Amino acid sequence: MIQAVWQPRKALATLTVLGMLLAGASAASAATVLESESNNSAATADAVSIGDTVLGQLNGPGGGADNDYFAFAAPTGGTVTVTFSSDGGTSEIVNQYISIIDATTATTLATGGITPTNPSRTITFSKTAGHTYHVVVIKPTGFPALYGYHLAIS
């Protein structure tokens, strides 16, 4: 006769995955995504998922503007929180901006910005099942330095 042995770590891992599935997430969906160029438009947006963290850079050639687009689909309704923050580099001397757009309805849901003295912004919004959303990170013209940032989508 084979006797089952209680394995607390295995049980905890199983409960964690079950909890994520019940909450509408998947264990495989959380990832660190590196921003890629050229993602300067909705058509060339980097694909992300709820639960991902994005590491990106804003660097308009010759001091020009740079927009970085990210897109994700909402499998369920509810809320999403996007936290946008500077990487804290010494060249962070310019305001950077973020917009959240419901691409399905072409509606801007929220905008915000970060500054050298306020380097983090959190935006929470309601999502609709089946809709696609764009997160757009914007560096204005006139500043030739490289600006690093983080996005956390949860």
Side-chain angles (χ1 to χ4, degrees):
M1 178 171 133
I2 298 175
Q3 186 174 10
V5 177
W6 174 251
Q7 296 176 344
R9 286 186 182 169
K10 191 172 187 178
L12 181 60
T14 301
L15 289 174
T16 301
V17 170
L18 286 173
M20 291 174 70
L21 291 173
L22 290 173
S26 72
S29 68
T32 299
V33 177
L34 301 177
E35 177 247 340
S36 66
E37 292 296 340
S38 164
N39 63 335
N40 299 328
S41 69
T44 60
D46 287 336
V48 294
S49 297
I50 296 171
D52 287 352
T53 299
V54 176
L55 303 177
Q57 295 180 336
L58 293 167
N59 188 20
D66 186 15
N67 297 333
D68 291 344
Y69 280 75
F70 303 91
F72 67 89
T76 61
T79 59
V80 174
T81 299
V82 176
T83 301
F84 171 46
S85 59
S86 164
D87 72 358
T90 57
S91 66
E92 307 294 337
I93 59 169
V94 66
N95 296 354
Q96 300 167 54
Y97 302 96
I98 185 171
S99 291
I100 310 294
I101 301 166
D102 182 333
T104 304
T105 62
T107 304
T108 299
L109 302 176
T111 59
I114 61 175
T115 67
T117 58
N118 188 11
S120 183
R121 168 75 60 156
T122 298
I123 298 172
T124 300
F125 62 96
S126 295
K127 62 183 169 68
T128 302
H131 284 213
T132 297
Y133 294 88
H134 288 147
V135 178
V136 185
V137 179
I138 304 156
K139 179 189 83 72
T141 61
F143 298 93
L146 179 67
Y147 301 94
Y149 62 85
H150 301 123
L151 288 176
I153 305 166
S154 58

